[in-house]
Amino acid sequence: MVYVTGDLHGDYSRFKRPEMKKLRAGDILLVCGDFGFIWDNSKQERAVLKKLSEKKYTIAFVDGCHENFDLLQQYRLVRWRGGVARLIAPNIFHLQRGEIYTIENQKYFAFGGGHSQDYEYRRDTGNWWRQEQPTHDEIRRAIRNLNRNQATVDYIITHEPPASLKDCLGVDVQQRLEIHAFFEDIIKECDYKKWFFGKCHMDRFIPMKFYAVFQDVLPVTDERD
């Protein structure tokens, strides 16, 4: 089974919640950004990562706006499920922006990053990284990958939601980025079944294809798929 959840922010207690108990050996948990367990390389953090590496299931995450990108980029790139990912541990992978992964014969388009709403407070404190904001080159690479797949995937995993959804989510878009325009193009030009995102810190289905996820642990597929 493949499951999806929202921002973890380095909170190991999330793995003790009842929602996580459904995961079994061989399952995959997709995290929609702000993984947060690679932040300061402290002894405590390394111990928690070791605990996660002992899980019988796989954890794969897109990056969010609250990540230490300098540390993340120290992990080596590997091939995983038909795409490129950073190998954090044998069962933990950092999904790269614009890559398409094949899991259980289904195609997953991943695109992390976005814009921190607390940017003004964090930029001078040493815990904000410019790499959180996707670049033009990353978007162009994503477009090429989508075109190679005839603009058709099964599921989309992102941190940011499409900007056109933010009004119905009650989220203020303070800064429009190139990623927002790109996501609107995906809505118009691509075929997909469901789109999951984590930034809004809520659990909500938005008809017809969008899922804001936070603490829920949702099976990606259901009877309709």
Side-chain angles (χ1 to χ4, degrees), residues 20-59:
M20 291 288 191
K21 302 300 183 182
K22 66 182 78 173
L23 276 80
R24 298 290 182 263
D27 289 344
I28 296 178
L29 176 66
L30 301 175
V31 182
C32 293
D34 285 351
F35 180 63
F37 289 97
I38 302 169
W39 184 255
D40 59 12
N41 201 31
S42 65
K43 182 178 179 180
Q44 179 181 5
E45 182 174 272
R46 292 194 299 272
V48 171
L49 272 176
K50 185 175 185 300
K51 287 183 181 180
L52 292 179
S53 73
E54 294 168 352
K55 300 292 185 186
K56 300 300 184 183
Y57 50 84
T58 294
I59 301 168

Coordinates of all heavy atoms in Angstrom, one line a residue, residues 20-59:
M20 N -0.7 6.1 12.0 CA 0.5 5.5 11.5 C 0.5 3.9 11.7 O 1.3 3.2 11.1 CB 1.8 6.1 12.1 CG 2.0 7.5 11.7 SD 2.6 7.6 10.0 CE 3.2 9.4 10.0
K21 N -0.3 3.4 12.6 CA -0.3 2.0 12.9 C -0.7 1.1 11.7 O -0.4 -0.1 11.7 CB -1.2 1.8 14.1 CG -0.8 2.5 15.4 CD 0.6 2.3 15.9 CE 0.9 3.0 17.1 NZ 2.3 2.8 17.6
K22 N -1.4 1.7 10.8 CA -1.8 0.9 9.6 C -0.7 0.5 8.7 O -0.9 -0.4 7.9 CB -2.9 1.7 8.8 CG -2.4 2.9 8.1 CD -3.5 3.7 7.4 CE -4.3 4.5 8.4 NZ -5.3 5.4 7.7
L23 N 0.4 1.2 8.7 CA 1.5 0.9 7.8 C 2.2 -0.4 8.2 O 2.4 -0.7 9.4 CB 2.6 2.0 7.8 CG 2.3 3.2 6.9 CD1 1.3 4.1 7.6 CD2 3.5 4.0 6.5
R24 N 2.5 -1.2 7.1 CA 3.0 -2.5 7.3 C 4.3 -2.6 6.5 O 4.6 -1.8 5.7 CB 2.0 -3.6 6.8 CG 0.7 -3.6 7.6 CD 1.0 -4.2 9.0 NE -0.3 -4.2 9.8 CZ -0.7 -3.3 10.6 NH1 0.0 -2.2 10.8 NH2 -1.8 -3.5 11.3
A25 N 5.0 -3.7 6.7 CA 6.3 -4.0 6.0 C 6.0 -3.9 4.5 O 5.0 -4.5 4.0 CB 6.9 -5.3 6.4
G26 N 6.8 -3.2 3.8 CA 6.7 -3.1 2.3 C 5.8 -1.9 1.9 O 5.8 -1.6 0.7
D27 N 5.1 -1.3 2.8 CA 4.3 -0.1 2.4 C 5.2 1.1 2.2 O 6.4 1.1 2.5 CB 3.3 0.2 3.5 CG 2.2 -0.8 3.6 OD1 2.0 -1.5 2.7 OD2 1.5 -0.8 4.7
I28 N 4.7 2.1 1.6 CA 5.4 3.4 1.3 C 4.6 4.5 1.9 O 3.4 4.7 1.6 CB 5.6 3.6 -0.2 CG1 6.6 2.5 -0.7 CG2 6.2 5.0 -0.5 CD1 6.8 2.6 -2.2
L29 N 5.2 5.4 2.6 CA 4.6 6.6 3.2 C 5.2 7.8 2.5 O 6.4 8.1 2.5 CB 4.9 6.7 4.7 CG 4.4 8.0 5.3 CD1 2.9 8.1 5.3 CD2 4.9 8.1 6.8
L30 N 4.4 8.5 1.7 CA 4.8 9.8 1.1 C 4.5 11.0 1.9 O 3.4 11.1 2.5 CB 4.1 9.9 -0.3 CG 4.3 8.7 -1.3 CD1 3.4 8.9 -2.5 CD2 5.8 8.6 -1.7
V31 N 5.4 11.9 2.1 CA 5.3 13.0 2.9 C 5.3 14.3 2.1 O 6.3 14.5 1.3 CB 6.4 13.1 4.0 CG1 6.2 14.3 4.9 CG2 6.5 11.8 4.8
C32 N 4.3 15.1 2.2 CA 4.1 16.3 1.3 C 4.9 17.5 1.9 O 4.3 18.6 2.1 CB 2.7 16.6 1.2 SG 1.7 15.4 0.3
G33 N 6.2 17.3 2.1 CA 7.0 18.5 2.5 C 7.2 18.7 4.0 O 6.5 18.1 4.8
D34 N 8.2 19.5 4.3 CA 8.6 19.8 5.7 C 8.8 18.5 6.5 O 8.2 18.3 7.6 CB 7.5 20.7 6.4 CG 7.6 22.2 5.9 OD1 8.6 22.5 5.2 OD2 6.7 23.0 6.2
F35 N 9.6 17.7 6.0 CA 10.0 16.4 6.6 C 10.6 16.8 8.0 O 10.2 16.3 9.0 CB 11.0 15.7 5.7 CG 11.5 14.4 6.3 CD1 10.6 13.3 6.6 CD2 12.8 14.2 6.5 CE1 11.1 12.1 7.1 CE2 13.3 13.0 7.0 CZ 12.4 11.9 7.3
G36 N 11.7 17.6 8.0 CA 12.2 18.3 9.2 C 13.1 17.4 10.1 O 13.5 17.9 11.1
F37 N 13.3 16.2 9.7 CA 14.2 15.3 10.5 C 15.7 15.5 10.1 O 16.5 14.8 10.7 CB 13.8 13.9 10.4 CG 12.5 13.6 11.1 CD1 11.3 13.5 10.4 CD2 12.4 13.3 12.4 CE1 10.1 13.2 11.0 CE2 11.2 13.1 13.1 CZ 10.1 13.0 12.3
I38 N 16.0 16.4 9.2 CA 17.4 16.7 8.8 C 17.5 18.2 8.9 O 17.3 18.9 8.0 CB 17.7 16.2 7.4 CG1 17.4 14.7 7.3 CG2 19.1 16.5 7.0 CD1 17.4 14.1 5.9
W39 N 17.8 18.6 10.2 CA 17.7 20.1 10.5 C 19.0 20.6 11.0 O 19.6 21.6 10.6 CB 16.6 20.3 11.4 CG 16.4 21.8 11.7 CD1 16.7 22.5 12.8 CD2 15.8 22.8 10.8 NE1 16.3 23.8 12.7 CE2 15.8 24.0 11.5 CE3 15.3 22.7 9.5 CZ2 15.3 25.2 10.9 CZ3 14.8 23.9 8.9 CH2 14.9 25.1 9.6
D40 N 19.6 19.9 12.1 CA 20.7 20.4 12.8 C 21.9 19.4 13.0 O 22.9 19.7 13.5 CB 20.4 21.1 14.1 CG 19.7 20.0 15.0 OD1 19.8 18.8 14.8 OD2 19.2 20.5 16.1
N41 N 21.6 18.2 12.5 CA 22.7 17.1 12.6 C 23.1 16.9 14.0 O 24.2 16.5 14.3 CB 23.9 17.4 11.7 CG 24.7 16.2 11.4 OD1 24.1 15.1 11.3 ND2 26.0 16.4 11.3
S42 N 22.2 17.1 15.0 CA 22.5 16.9 16.4 C 22.5 15.4 16.7 O 22.0 14.6 15.9 CB 21.5 17.6 17.3 OG 20.2 17.0 17.1
K43 N 23.1 15.1 17.8 CA 23.1 13.7 18.3 C 21.7 13.2 18.4 O 21.4 12.0 18.0 CB 23.8 13.6 19.6 CG 23.9 12.1 20.1 CD 24.7 12.1 21.4 CE 24.8 10.7 22.0 NZ 25.6 10.6 23.2
Q44 N 20.8 14.0 19.0 CA 19.4 13.6 19.1 C 18.7 13.3 17.8 O 18.0 12.4 17.6 CB 18.6 14.6 19.9 CG 17.2 14.3 20.1 CD 16.4 15.4 20.9 OE1 17.0 16.5 21.2 NE2 15.2 15.2 21.2
E45 N 19.0 14.2 16.8 CA 18.4 14.1 15.5 C 18.9 12.8 14.8 O 18.1 12.1 14.2 CB 18.7 15.3 14.7 CG 18.1 15.3 13.3 CD 18.4 16.6 12.5 OE1 17.5 17.5 12.7 OE2 19.4 16.7 11.8
R46 N 20.2 12.5 14.9 CA 20.7 11.3 14.3 C 20.1 10.1 14.9 O 19.8 9.1 14.2 CB 22.2 11.3 14.4 CG 22.9 12.4 13.6 CD 24.4 12.1 13.5 NE 25.1 12.1 14.8 CZ 25.6 13.1 15.3 NH1 25.5 14.3 14.7 NH2 26.2 13.0 16.5
A47 N 19.8 10.1 16.2 CA 19.2 9.0 16.9 C 17.7 8.8 16.4 O 17.3 7.6 16.2 CB 19.1 9.2 18.4
V48 N 17.0 9.9 16.1 CA 15.7 9.8 15.6 C 15.7 9.2 14.2 O 14.9 8.4 13.8 CB 15.0 11.1 15.7 CG1 13.6 11.1 14.9 CG2 14.7 11.6 17.1
L49 N 16.6 9.7 13.4 CA 16.8 9.2 12.0 C 17.1 7.7 12.0 O 16.6 6.9 11.2 CB 17.9 9.9 11.3 CG 17.5 11.2 10.5 CD1 18.7 11.9 9.9 CD2 16.4 10.9 9.5
K50 N 17.8 7.2 13.0 CA 18.1 5.8 13.1 C 16.8 5.0 13.4 O 16.6 4.0 12.8 CB 19.2 5.6 14.2 CG 19.6 4.1 14.3 CD 20.7 3.9 15.3 CE 21.3 2.5 15.3 NZ 20.2 1.5 15.6
K51 N 16.0 5.6 14.3 CA 14.7 4.9 14.5 C 13.9 4.8 13.3 O 13.2 3.8 13.0 CB 14.0 5.7 15.6 CG 14.5 5.6 17.0 CD 13.6 6.3 18.0 CE 14.1 6.3 19.4 NZ 13.2 7.0 20.3
L52 N 13.9 5.9 12.5 CA 13.1 5.9 11.3 C 13.6 4.9 10.3 O 12.9 4.2 9.5 CB 13.1 7.3 10.6 CG 12.3 8.4 11.4 CD1 12.4 9.7 10.7 CD2 10.8 8.0 11.6
S53 N 15.0 4.8 10.3 CA 15.6 3.8 9.3 C 15.3 2.4 9.7 O 15.5 1.5 8.9 CB 17.1 4.0 9.3 OG 17.7 3.6 10.5
E54 N 14.8 2.1 10.9 CA 14.5 0.8 11.3 C 13.0 0.4 11.0 O 12.6 -0.7 11.3 CB 14.8 0.6 12.8 CG 16.3 0.7 13.1 CD 16.6 0.9 14.6 OE1 15.6 1.1 15.4 OE2 17.7 0.8 15.0
K55 N 12.2 1.4 10.5 CA 10.9 1.1 10.1 C 10.8 0.0 9.0 O 11.7 0.0 8.1 CB 10.1 2.3 9.7 CG 10.1 3.5 10.7 CD 9.2 3.1 11.9 CE 9.0 4.2 12.9 NZ 8.3 3.8 14.1
K56 N 9.8 -0.8 9.0 CA 9.7 -1.8 8.0 C 9.1 -1.3 6.7 O 9.2 -2.0 5.7 CB 8.8 -3.0 8.5 CG 9.4 -3.6 9.8 CD 10.7 -4.2 9.6 CE 11.2 -5.0 10.8 NZ 12.6 -5.5 10.7
Y57 N 8.7 -0.1 6.7 CA 8.1 0.5 5.5 C 9.1 1.6 5.0 O 10.0 2.0 5.7 CB 6.7 1.1 5.7 CG 6.6 2.0 6.9 CD1 6.9 3.3 6.9 CD2 6.1 1.5 8.1 CE1 6.8 4.2 8.0 CE2 6.0 2.3 9.3 CZ 6.3 3.6 9.2 OH 6.2 4.4 10.3
T58 N 8.8 2.1 3.8 CA 9.6 3.1 3.2 C 9.0 4.5 3.4 O 7.8 4.7 3.3 CB 9.8 2.9 1.6 OG1 10.5 1.6 1.5 CG2 10.5 4.0 0.9
I59 N 9.9 5.5 3.6 CA 9.4 6.9 3.8 C 10.1 7.7 2.7 O 11.3 7.7 2.5 CB 9.9 7.5 5.1 CG1 9.3 6.6 6.3 CG2 9.4 8.9 5.3 CD1 9.9 7.0 7.6

